[in-house]
Amino acid sequence: SQQGEEDPQALSIQEGENATMNCSYKTSINNLQWYRQNSGRGLVHLILIRSNEREKHSGRLRVTLDTSKKSSSLLITASRAADTASYFCATDAGGSNYKLTFGKGTLLTVNP
Amino acid sequence: NAGVTQTPKFRVLKTGQSMTLLCAQDMNHEYMYWYRQDPGMGLRLIHYSVGEGTTAKGEVPDGYNVSRLKKQNFLLGLESAAPSQTSVYFCASSYGTSRLSYEQYFGPGTRLTVT
């Protein structure tokens, strides 16, 4: 079963706008990761946030984690057409740091 | 470094045929994983390995077998392919306990169609 669920399933924005994607999960975690997948390609790791962290930044990415609500959000600021991709959250449910469970993803389309 | 590579990139099988998918990594990673990705389902873990000579079942292991005879290689076998195994298969690897790093590195995928 899916541990993480992304919302929305699809998001379409204009270049320069910000994009926010959300992830909810069911059981306690050690860390949560976000991955990007360009069409027809493998997944690429974006950022990891640990359960004792509330916010993390990497370039134009900002990730928040609310363990009380079992949710995370990924914000991409000043989006570019090259950001068009599917974005997945992944959690380490079951106590293993190394075995991940992926959500179904959010398809982000950035229109030039 | 090539990272994670997968062979083949595409394959069409008839029901009942067998095949082996090969995954290779050159990053000296301890852990390796096989996932399948189906439309609307995200990625689901088939089998994984925490070291040479060890394998374990994931979420959807039925119909698949794996072997990890060498640290850098992780093979996924389908003994008798079924149409339900039509999917895109991804291999991934991670450092595991050697560096306490949990990021997974993915291969480009193998698109398998079973007719």
PDB file of all heavy atoms in Angstrom, chain A residues 42-80:
ATOM      1  N   GLY A  42      14.711   7.932 -15.261  1.00  0.00           N
ATOM      2  CA  GLY A  42      14.724   7.471 -13.881  1.00  0.00           C
ATOM      3  C   GLY A  42      14.519   8.612 -12.905  1.00  0.00           C
ATOM      4  O   GLY A  42      14.548   9.781 -13.274  1.00  0.00           O
ATOM      5  N   LEU A  43      14.308   8.271 -11.657  1.00  0.00           N
ATOM      6  CA  LEU A  43      14.091   9.285 -10.630  1.00  0.00           C
ATOM      7  C   LEU A  43      15.414   9.894 -10.178  1.00  0.00           C
ATOM      8  O   LEU A  43      16.446   9.217 -10.142  1.00  0.00           O
ATOM      9  CB  LEU A  43      13.388   8.680  -9.408  1.00  0.00           C
ATOM     10  CG  LEU A  43      11.871   8.533  -9.504  1.00  0.00           C
ATOM     11  CD1 LEU A  43      11.490   7.431 -10.466  1.00  0.00           C
ATOM     12  CD2 LEU A  43      11.279   8.276  -8.122  1.00  0.00           C
ATOM     13  N   VAL A  44      15.344  11.152  -9.811  1.00  0.00           N
ATOM     14  CA  VAL A  44      16.515  11.872  -9.322  1.00  0.00           C
ATOM     15  C   VAL A  44      16.191  12.444  -7.946  1.00  0.00           C
ATOM     16  O   VAL A  44      15.154  13.089  -7.770  1.00  0.00           O
ATOM     17  CB  VAL A  44      16.915  13.003 -10.281  1.00  0.00           C
ATOM     18  CG1 VAL A  44      18.056  13.833  -9.692  1.00  0.00           C
ATOM     19  CG2 VAL A  44      17.308  12.440 -11.636  1.00  0.00           C
ATOM     20  N   HIS A  45      17.072  12.191  -6.998  1.00  0.00           N
ATOM     21  CA  HIS A  45      16.866  12.683  -5.638  1.00  0.00           C
ATOM     22  C   HIS A  45      16.988  14.201  -5.596  1.00  0.00           C
ATOM     23  O   HIS A  45      17.917  14.780  -6.169  1.00  0.00           O
ATOM     24  CB  HIS A  45      17.914  12.050  -4.721  1.00  0.00           C
ATOM     25  CG  HIS A  45      17.804  12.477  -3.304  1.00  0.00           C
ATOM     26  ND1 HIS A  45      18.550  13.512  -2.775  1.00  0.00           N
ATOM     27  CD2 HIS A  45      17.035  12.027  -2.294  1.00  0.00           C
ATOM     28  CE1 HIS A  45      18.247  13.664  -1.511  1.00  0.00           C
ATOM     29  NE2 HIS A  45      17.338  12.770  -1.186  1.00  0.00           N
ATOM     30  N   LEU A  46      16.049  14.849  -4.896  1.00  0.00           N
ATOM     31  CA  LEU A  46      16.078  16.303  -4.753  1.00  0.00           C
ATOM     32  C   LEU A  46      16.526  16.725  -3.370  1.00  0.00           C
ATOM     33  O   LEU A  46      17.439  17.547  -3.208  1.00  0.00           O
ATOM     34  CB  LEU A  46      14.697  16.893  -5.031  1.00  0.00           C
ATOM     35  CG  LEU A  46      14.156  16.760  -6.452  1.00  0.00           C
ATOM     36  CD1 LEU A  46      12.745  17.307  -6.523  1.00  0.00           C
ATOM     37  CD2 LEU A  46      15.065  17.476  -7.433  1.00  0.00           C
ATOM     38  N   ILE A  47      15.877  16.186  -2.348  1.00  0.00           N
ATOM     39  CA  ILE A  47      16.132  16.685  -1.000  1.00  0.00           C
ATOM     40  C   ILE A  47      15.602  15.676   0.020  1.00  0.00           C
ATOM     41  O   ILE A  47      14.641  14.955  -0.251  1.00  0.00           O
ATOM     42  CB  ILE A  47      15.465  18.068  -0.825  1.00  0.00           C
ATOM     43  CG1 ILE A  47      15.981  18.807   0.407  1.00  0.00           C
ATOM     44  CG2 ILE A  47      13.952  17.970  -0.828  1.00  0.00           C
ATOM     45  CD1 ILE A  47      15.618  20.283   0.417  1.00  0.00           C
ATOM     46  N   LEU A  48      16.250  15.628   1.158  1.00  0.00           N
ATOM     47  CA  LEU A  48      15.839  14.766   2.270  1.00  0.00           C
ATOM     48  C   LEU A  48      15.640  15.639   3.492  1.00  0.00           C
ATOM     49  O   LEU A  48      16.454  16.525   3.776  1.00  0.00           O
ATOM     50  CB  LEU A  48      16.915  13.709   2.538  1.00  0.00           C
ATOM     51  CG  LEU A  48      16.685  12.731   3.702  1.00  0.00           C
ATOM     52  CD1 LEU A  48      17.390  11.398   3.400  1.00  0.00           C
ATOM     53  CD2 LEU A  48      17.192  13.288   5.020  1.00  0.00           C
ATOM     54  N   ILE A  49      14.566  15.389   4.214  1.00  0.00           N
ATOM     55  CA  ILE A  49      14.319  16.104   5.463  1.00  0.00           C
ATOM     56  C   ILE A  49      14.100  15.069   6.560  1.00  0.00           C
ATOM     57  O   ILE A  49      13.374  14.092   6.367  1.00  0.00           O
ATOM     58  CB  ILE A  49      13.127  17.081   5.332  1.00  0.00           C
ATOM     59  CG1 ILE A  49      12.986  17.927   6.603  1.00  0.00           C
ATOM     60  CG2 ILE A  49      11.828  16.363   4.996  1.00  0.00           C
ATOM     61  CD1 ILE A  49      12.096  19.151   6.422  1.00  0.00           C
ATOM     62  N   ARG A  50      14.788  15.258   7.672  1.00  0.00           N
ATOM     63  CA  ARG A  50      14.701  14.309   8.764  1.00  0.00           C
ATOM     64  C   ARG A  50      13.497  14.628   9.650  1.00  0.00           C
ATOM     65  O   ARG A  50      13.016  15.761   9.659  1.00  0.00           O
ATOM     66  CB  ARG A  50      15.985  14.332   9.584  1.00  0.00           C
ATOM     67  CG  ARG A  50      17.211  13.999   8.760  1.00  0.00           C
ATOM     68  CD  ARG A  50      18.487  13.949   9.593  1.00  0.00           C
ATOM     69  NE  ARG A  50      19.648  13.896   8.739  1.00  0.00           N
ATOM     70  CZ  ARG A  50      20.099  12.798   8.149  1.00  0.00           C
ATOM     71  NH1 ARG A  50      19.461  11.660   8.336  1.00  0.00           N
ATOM     72  NH2 ARG A  50      21.165  12.819   7.378  1.00  0.00           N
ATOM     73  N   SER A  51      13.074  13.662  10.422  1.00  0.00           N
ATOM     74  CA  SER A  51      11.862  13.818  11.230  1.00  0.00           C
ATOM     75  C   SER A  51      12.002  14.909  12.287  1.00  0.00           C
ATOM     76  O   SER A  51      10.998  15.457  12.758  1.00  0.00           O
ATOM     77  CB  SER A  51      11.483  12.497  11.893  1.00  0.00           C
ATOM     78  OG  SER A  51      12.518  12.040  12.725  1.00  0.00           O
ATOM     79  N   ASN A  52      13.240  15.260  12.675  1.00  0.00           N
ATOM     80  CA  ASN A  52      13.427  16.307  13.679  1.00  0.00           C
ATOM     81  C   ASN A  52      13.671  17.683  13.043  1.00  0.00           C
ATOM     82  O   ASN A  52      13.993  18.645  13.741  1.00  0.00           O
ATOM     83  CB  ASN A  52      14.579  15.969  14.616  1.00  0.00           C
ATOM     84  CG  ASN A  52      15.898  15.827  13.886  1.00  0.00           C
ATOM     85  OD1 ASN A  52      15.942  15.885  12.659  1.00  0.00           O
ATOM     86  ND2 ASN A  52      16.969  15.654  14.625  1.00  0.00           N
ATOM     87  N   GLU A  53      13.519  17.767  11.727  1.00  0.00           N
ATOM     88  CA  GLU A  53      13.649  19.045  11.021  1.00  0.00           C
ATOM     89  C   GLU A  53      12.265  19.526  10.600  1.00  0.00           C
ATOM     90  O   GLU A  53      11.386  18.721  10.288  1.00  0.00           O
ATOM     91  CB  GLU A  53      14.555  18.884   9.797  1.00  0.00           C
ATOM     92  CG  GLU A  53      15.981  18.489  10.158  1.00  0.00           C
ATOM     93  CD  GLU A  53      16.844  18.233   8.920  1.00  0.00           C
ATOM     94  OE1 GLU A  53      16.370  17.545   8.001  1.00  0.00           O
ATOM     95  OE2 GLU A  53      17.985  18.740   8.898  1.00  0.00           O
ATOM     96  N   ARG A  54      12.101  20.826  10.529  1.00  0.00           N
ATOM     97  CA  ARG A  54      10.806  21.395  10.137  1.00  0.00           C
ATOM     98  C   ARG A  54      10.871  22.008   8.742  1.00  0.00           C
ATOM     99  O   ARG A  54       9.851  22.096   8.043  1.00  0.00           O
ATOM    100  CB  ARG A  54      10.372  22.444  11.144  1.00  0.00           C
ATOM    101  CG  ARG A  54      10.021  21.851  12.481  1.00  0.00           C
ATOM    102  CD  ARG A  54       8.817  20.931  12.374  1.00  0.00           C
ATOM    103  NE  ARG A  54       8.644  20.125  13.573  1.00  0.00           N
ATOM    104  CZ  ARG A  54       9.032  18.853  13.652  1.00  0.00           C
ATOM    105  NH1 ARG A  54       9.599  18.246  12.623  1.00  0.00           N
ATOM    106  NH2 ARG A  54       8.836  18.166  14.761  1.00  0.00           N
ATOM    107  N   GLU A  55      12.048  22.450   8.344  1.00  0.00           N
ATOM    108  CA  GLU A  55      12.169  23.110   7.049  1.00  0.00           C
ATOM    109  C   GLU A  55      13.580  22.921   6.530  1.00  0.00           C
ATOM    110  O   GLU A  55      14.545  22.870   7.294  1.00  0.00           O
ATOM    111  CB  GLU A  55      11.876  24.612   7.219  1.00  0.00           C
ATOM    112  CG  GLU A  55      11.761  25.380   5.938  1.00  0.00           C
ATOM    113  CD  GLU A  55      11.263  26.799   6.168  1.00  0.00           C
ATOM    114  OE1 GLU A  55      10.269  26.963   6.894  1.00  0.00           O
ATOM    115  OE2 GLU A  55      11.880  27.733   5.635  1.00  0.00           O
ATOM    116  N   LYS A  56      13.674  22.812   5.203  1.00  0.00           N
ATOM    117  CA  LYS A  56      14.972  22.659   4.585  1.00  0.00           C
ATOM    118  C   LYS A  56      14.952  23.320   3.213  1.00  0.00           C
ATOM    119  O   LYS A  56      13.921  23.285   2.520  1.00  0.00           O
ATOM    120  CB  LYS A  56      15.330  21.182   4.460  1.00  0.00           C
ATOM    121  CG  LYS A  56      16.801  20.904   4.311  1.00  0.00           C
ATOM    122  CD  LYS A  56      17.087  19.449   4.623  1.00  0.00           C
ATOM    123  CE  LYS A  56      18.571  19.176   4.534  1.00  0.00           C
ATOM    124  NZ  LYS A  56      18.889  17.764   4.844  1.00  0.00           N
ATOM    125  N   HIS A  57      16.093  23.917   2.837  1.00  0.00           N
ATOM    126  CA  HIS A  57      16.176  24.609   1.557  1.00  0.00           C
ATOM    127  C   HIS A  57      17.298  24.015   0.730  1.00  0.00           C
ATOM    128  O   HIS A  57      18.322  23.579   1.257  1.00  0.00           O
ATOM    129  CB  HIS A  57      16.477  26.104   1.788  1.00  0.00           C
ATOM    130  CG  HIS A  57      15.398  26.831   2.519  1.00  0.00           C
ATOM    131  ND1 HIS A  57      14.519  27.684   1.885  1.00  0.00           N
ATOM    132  CD2 HIS A  57      15.042  26.825   3.830  1.00  0.00           C
ATOM    133  CE1 HIS A  57      13.680  28.192   2.784  1.00  0.00           C
ATOM    134  NE2 HIS A  57      13.973  27.688   3.958  1.00  0.00           N
ATOM    135  N   SER A  58      17.089  24.025  -0.582  1.00  0.00           N
ATOM    136  CA  SER A  58      18.141  23.653  -1.509  1.00  0.00           C
ATOM    137  C   SER A  58      17.890  24.407  -2.796  1.00  0.00           C
ATOM    138  O   SER A  58      16.991  24.069  -3.565  1.00  0.00           O
ATOM    139  CB  SER A  58      18.136  22.145  -1.754  1.00  0.00           C
ATOM    140  OG  SER A  58      19.108  21.795  -2.718  1.00  0.00           O
ATOM    141  N   GLY A  59      18.672  25.460  -3.035  1.00  0.00           N
ATOM    142  CA  GLY A  59      18.459  26.281  -4.231  1.00  0.00           C
ATOM    143  C   GLY A  59      17.059  26.867  -4.255  1.00  0.00           C
ATOM    144  O   GLY A  59      16.643  27.548  -3.312  1.00  0.00           O
ATOM    145  N   ARG A  60      16.297  26.561  -5.290  1.00  0.00           N
ATOM    146  CA  ARG A  60      14.921  27.069  -5.410  1.00  0.00           C
ATOM    147  C   ARG A  60      13.895  26.163  -4.740  1.00  0.00           C
ATOM    148  O   ARG A  60      12.687  26.392  -4.859  1.00  0.00           O
ATOM    149  CB  ARG A  60      14.567  27.226  -6.897  1.00  0.00           C
ATOM    150  CG  ARG A  60      15.359  28.314  -7.617  1.00  0.00           C
ATOM    151  CD  ARG A  60      14.902  28.497  -9.070  1.00  0.00           C
ATOM    152  NE  ARG A  60      15.150  27.306  -9.868  1.00  0.00           N
ATOM    153  CZ  ARG A  60      14.190  26.533 -10.385  1.00  0.00           C
ATOM    154  NH1 ARG A  60      12.907  26.826 -10.172  1.00  0.00           N
ATOM    155  NH2 ARG A  60      14.505  25.480 -11.108  1.00  0.00           N
ATOM    156  N   LEU A  61      14.364  25.145  -4.059  1.00  0.00           N
ATOM    157  CA  LEU A  61      13.465  24.201  -3.396  1.00  0.00           C
ATOM    158  C   LEU A  61      13.372  24.515  -1.908  1.00  0.00           C
ATOM    159  O   LEU A  61      14.365  24.811  -1.254  1.00  0.00           O
ATOM    160  CB  LEU A  61      13.973  22.766  -3.563  1.00  0.00           C
ATOM    161  CG  LEU A  61      14.215  22.258  -4.971  1.00  0.00           C
ATOM    162  CD1 LEU A  61      14.715  20.825  -4.925  1.00  0.00           C
ATOM    163  CD2 LEU A  61      12.973  22.376  -5.827  1.00  0.00           C
ATOM    164  N   ARG A  62      12.135  24.414  -1.406  1.00  0.00           N
ATOM    165  CA  ARG A  62      11.923  24.535   0.031  1.00  0.00           C
ATOM    166  C   ARG A  62      10.995  23.415   0.450  1.00  0.00           C
ATOM    167  O   ARG A  62       9.915  23.245  -0.117  1.00  0.00           O
ATOM    168  CB  ARG A  62      11.297  25.892   0.370  1.00  0.00           C
ATOM    169  CG  ARG A  62      10.861  26.024   1.823  1.00  0.00           C
ATOM    170  CD  ARG A  62      10.305  27.415   2.089  1.00  0.00           C
ATOM    171  NE  ARG A  62       9.662  27.498   3.409  1.00  0.00           N
ATOM    172  CZ  ARG A  62       8.344  27.530   3.593  1.00  0.00           C
ATOM    173  NH1 ARG A  62       7.515  27.496   2.573  1.00  0.00           N
ATOM    174  NH2 ARG A  62       7.846  27.607   4.816  1.00  0.00           N
ATOM    175  N   VAL A  63      11.429  22.641   1.414  1.00  0.00           N
ATOM    176  CA  VAL A  63      10.626  21.521   1.906  1.00  0.00           C
ATOM    177  C   VAL A  63      10.281  21.777   3.363  1.00  0.00           C
ATOM    178  O   VAL A  63      11.123  22.208   4.142  1.00  0.00           O
ATOM    179  CB  VAL A  63      11.399  20.189   1.779  1.00  0.00           C
ATOM    180  CG1 VAL A  63      10.678  19.075   2.517  1.00  0.00           C
ATOM    181  CG2 VAL A  63      11.562  19.820   0.319  1.00  0.00           C
ATOM    182  N   THR A  64       9.037  21.513   3.710  1.00  0.00           N
ATOM    183  CA  THR A  64       8.615  21.580   5.107  1.00  0.00           C
ATOM    184  C   THR A  64       8.101  20.217   5.536  1.00  0.00           C
ATOM    185  O   THR A  64       7.651  19.410   4.705  1.00  0.00           O
ATOM    186  CB  THR A  64       7.520  22.631   5.310  1.00  0.00           C
ATOM    187  OG1 THR A  64       6.371  22.259   4.535  1.00  0.00           O
ATOM    188  CG2 THR A  64       7.999  24.014   4.894  1.00  0.00           C
ATOM    189  N   LEU A  65       8.162  19.976   6.816  1.00  0.00           N
ATOM    190  CA  LEU A  65       7.686  18.710   7.370  1.00  0.00           C
ATOM    191  C   LEU A  65       6.936  19.000   8.659  1.00  0.00           C
ATOM    192  O   LEU A  65       7.451  19.693   9.541  1.00  0.00           O
ATOM    193  CB  LEU A  65       8.856  17.759   7.645  1.00  0.00           C
ATOM    194  CG  LEU A  65       8.508  16.401   8.259  1.00  0.00           C
ATOM    195  CD1 LEU A  65       7.648  15.581   7.300  1.00  0.00           C
ATOM    196  CD2 LEU A  65       9.784  15.648   8.628  1.00  0.00           C
ATOM    197  N   ASP A  66       5.732  18.485   8.752  1.00  0.00           N
ATOM    198  CA  ASP A  66       4.920  18.602   9.962  1.00  0.00           C
ATOM    199  C   ASP A  66       4.591  17.186  10.421  1.00  0.00           C
ATOM    200  O   ASP A  66       3.670  16.557   9.906  1.00  0.00           O
ATOM    201  CB  ASP A  66       3.641  19.396   9.674  1.00  0.00           C
ATOM    202  CG  ASP A  66       2.837  19.693  10.925  1.00  0.00           C
ATOM    203  OD1 ASP A  66       2.965  18.926  11.924  1.00  0.00           O
ATOM    204  OD2 ASP A  66       2.071  20.659  10.922  1.00  0.00           O
ATOM    205  N   THR A  67       5.355  16.684  11.366  1.00  0.00           N
ATOM    206  CA  THR A  67       5.157  15.296  11.792  1.00  0.00           C
ATOM    207  C   THR A  67       3.850  15.120  12.569  1.00  0.00           C
ATOM    208  O   THR A  67       3.308  14.028  12.601  1.00  0.00           O
ATOM    209  CB  THR A  67       6.337  14.810  12.646  1.00  0.00           C
ATOM    210  OG1 THR A  67       6.545  15.732  13.713  1.00  0.00           O
ATOM    211  CG2 THR A  67       7.600  14.697  11.814  1.00  0.00           C
ATOM    212  N   SER A  68       3.346  16.194  13.180  1.00  0.00           N
ATOM    213  CA  SER A  68       2.082  16.073  13.912  1.00  0.00           C
ATOM    214  C   SER A  68       0.925  15.857  12.950  1.00  0.00           C
ATOM    215  O   SER A  68      -0.051  15.181  13.283  1.00  0.00           O
ATOM    216  CB  SER A  68       1.841  17.317  14.758  1.00  0.00           C
ATOM    217  OG  SER A  68       1.618  18.458  13.943  1.00  0.00           O
ATOM    218  N   LYS A  69       1.038  16.418  11.751  1.00  0.00           N
ATOM    219  CA  LYS A  69       0.007  16.243  10.730  1.00  0.00           C
ATOM    220  C   LYS A  69       0.378  15.172   9.721  1.00  0.00           C
ATOM    221  O   LYS A  69      -0.389  14.883   8.802  1.00  0.00           O
ATOM    222  CB  LYS A  69      -0.245  17.562   9.995  1.00  0.00           C
ATOM    223  CG  LYS A  69      -0.819  18.661  10.866  1.00  0.00           C
ATOM    224  CD  LYS A  69      -1.071  19.924  10.064  1.00  0.00           C
ATOM    225  CE  LYS A  69      -1.664  21.006  10.951  1.00  0.00           C
ATOM    226  NZ  LYS A  69      -1.880  22.272  10.198  1.00  0.00           N
ATOM    227  N   LYS A  70       1.562  14.607   9.879  1.00  0.00           N
ATOM    228  CA  LYS A  70       2.065  13.608   8.943  1.00  0.00           C
ATOM    229  C   LYS A  70       1.982  14.142   7.511  1.00  0.00           C
ATOM    230  O   LYS A  70       1.354  13.524   6.624  1.00  0.00           O
ATOM    231  CB  LYS A  70       1.315  12.284   9.092  1.00  0.00           C
ATOM    232  CG  LYS A  70       1.598  11.553  10.402  1.00  0.00           C
ATOM    233  CD  LYS A  70       0.958  10.185  10.437  1.00  0.00           C
ATOM    234  CE  LYS A  70       1.429   9.372  11.630  1.00  0.00           C
ATOM    235  NZ  LYS A  70       1.122  10.012  12.920  1.00  0.00           N
ATOM    236  N   SER A  71       2.581  15.277   7.296  1.00  0.00           N
ATOM    237  CA  SER A  71       2.526  15.872   5.969  1.00  0.00           C
ATOM    238  C   SER A  71       3.807  16.649   5.676  1.00  0.00           C
ATOM    239  O   SER A  71       4.503  17.103   6.586  1.00  0.00           O
ATOM    240  CB  SER A  71       1.309  16.796   5.840  1.00  0.00           C
ATOM    241  OG  SER A  71       1.459  17.916   6.670  1.00  0.00           O
ATOM    242  N   SER A  72       4.078  16.797   4.380  1.00  0.00           N
ATOM    243  CA  SER A  72       5.233  17.548   3.912  1.00  0.00           C
ATOM    244  C   SER A  72       4.809  18.341   2.680  1.00  0.00           C
ATOM    245  O   SER A  72       3.853  17.980   1.989  1.00  0.00           O
ATOM    246  CB  SER A  72       6.360  16.594   3.540  1.00  0.00           C
ATOM    247  OG  SER A  72       7.441  17.268   2.926  1.00  0.00           O
ATOM    248  N   SER A  73       5.512  19.430   2.432  1.00  0.00           N
ATOM    249  CA  SER A  73       5.251  20.173   1.208  1.00  0.00           C
ATOM    250  C   SER A  73       6.562  20.493   0.524  1.00  0.00           C
ATOM    251  O   SER A  73       7.590  20.672   1.175  1.00  0.00           O
ATOM    252  CB  SER A  73       4.479  21.460   1.501  1.00  0.00           C
ATOM    253  OG  SER A  73       5.290  22.362   2.231  1.00  0.00           O
ATOM    254  N   LEU A  74       6.510  20.533  -0.793  1.00  0.00           N
ATOM    255  CA  LEU A  74       7.661  20.913  -1.623  1.00  0.00           C
ATOM    256  C   LEU A  74       7.275  22.170  -2.384  1.00  0.00           C
ATOM    257  O   LEU A  74       6.282  22.172  -3.112  1.00  0.00           O
ATOM    258  CB  LEU A  74       8.012  19.797  -2.609  1.00  0.00           C
ATOM    259  CG  LEU A  74       9.050  20.142  -3.680  1.00  0.00           C
ATOM    260  CD1 LEU A  74      10.418  20.373  -3.058  1.00  0.00           C
ATOM    261  CD2 LEU A  74       9.139  19.034  -4.732  1.00  0.00           C
ATOM    262  N   LEU A  75       8.037  23.207  -2.198  1.00  0.00           N
ATOM    263  CA  LEU A  75       7.815  24.472  -2.899  1.00  0.00           C
ATOM    264  C   LEU A  75       8.958  24.687  -3.873  1.00  0.00           C
ATOM    265  O   LEU A  75      10.124  24.626  -3.488  1.00  0.00           O
ATOM    266  CB  LEU A  75       7.749  25.627  -1.906  1.00  0.00           C
ATOM    267  CG  LEU A  75       7.795  27.045  -2.498  1.00  0.00           C
ATOM    268  CD1 LEU A  75       6.546  27.326  -3.307  1.00  0.00           C
ATOM    269  CD2 LEU A  75       7.982  28.085  -1.389  1.00  0.00           C
ATOM    270  N   ILE A  76       8.613  24.919  -5.119  1.00  0.00           N
ATOM    271  CA  ILE A  76       9.599  25.301  -6.141  1.00  0.00           C
ATOM    272  C   ILE A  76       9.333  26.750  -6.487  1.00  0.00           C
ATOM    273  O   ILE A  76       8.238  27.102  -6.953  1.00  0.00           O
ATOM    274  CB  ILE A  76       9.475  24.430  -7.405  1.00  0.00           C
ATOM    275  CG1 ILE A  76       9.603  22.954  -7.056  1.00  0.00           C
ATOM    276  CG2 ILE A  76      10.535  24.828  -8.429  1.00  0.00           C
ATOM    277  CD1 ILE A  76       9.361  22.023  -8.234  1.00  0.00           C
ATOM    278  N   THR A  77      10.296  27.603  -6.227  1.00  0.00           N
ATOM    279  CA  THR A  77      10.097  29.021  -6.495  1.00  0.00           C
ATOM    280  C   THR A  77      10.604  29.392  -7.885  1.00  0.00           C
ATOM    281  O   THR A  77      11.481  28.719  -8.439  1.00  0.00           O
ATOM    282  CB  THR A  77      10.841  29.880  -5.459  1.00  0.00           C
ATOM    283  OG1 THR A  77      12.244  29.577  -5.536  1.00  0.00           O
ATOM    284  CG2 THR A  77      10.343  29.595  -4.051  1.00  0.00           C
ATOM    285  N   ALA A  78      10.018  30.439  -8.449  1.00  0.00           N
ATOM    286  CA  ALA A  78      10.430  30.962  -9.749  1.00  0.00           C
ATOM    287  C   ALA A  78      10.599  29.837 -10.756  1.00  0.00           C
ATOM    288  O   ALA A  78      11.686  29.633 -11.315  1.00  0.00           O
ATOM    289  CB  ALA A  78      11.726  31.760  -9.606  1.00  0.00           C
ATOM    290  N   SER A  79       9.539  29.095 -10.988  1.00  0.00           N
ATOM    291  CA  SER A  79       9.620  27.882 -11.807  1.00  0.00           C
ATOM    292  C   SER A  79      10.059  28.190 -13.234  1.00  0.00           C
ATOM    293  O   SER A  79       9.861  29.283 -13.771  1.00  0.00           O
ATOM    294  CB  SER A  79       8.271  27.168 -11.817  1.00  0.00           C
ATOM    295  OG  SER A  79       7.299  27.987 -12.431  1.00  0.00           O
ATOM    296  N   ARG A  80      10.650  27.152 -13.823  1.00  0.00           N
ATOM    297  CA  ARG A  80      11.149  27.219 -15.204  1.00  0.00           C
ATOM    298  C   ARG A  80      10.530  26.084 -15.997  1.00  0.00           C
ATOM    299  O   ARG A  80      10.102  25.076 -15.421  1.00  0.00           O
ATOM    300  CB  ARG A  80      12.664  27.087 -15.215  1.00  0.00           C
ATOM    301  CG  ARG A  80      13.379  28.069 -14.326  1.00  0.00           C
ATOM    302  CD  ARG A  80      14.810  27.644 -14.100  1.00  0.00           C
ATOM    303  NE  ARG A  80      15.522  28.574 -13.214  1.00  0.00           N
ATOM    304  CZ  ARG A  80      16.704  28.316 -12.673  1.00  0.00           C
ATOM    305  NH1 ARG A  80      17.325  27.168 -12.937  1.00  0.00           N
ATOM    306  NH2 ARG A  80      17.270  29.204 -11.870  1.00  0.00           N
TER     307      ARG A  80
END
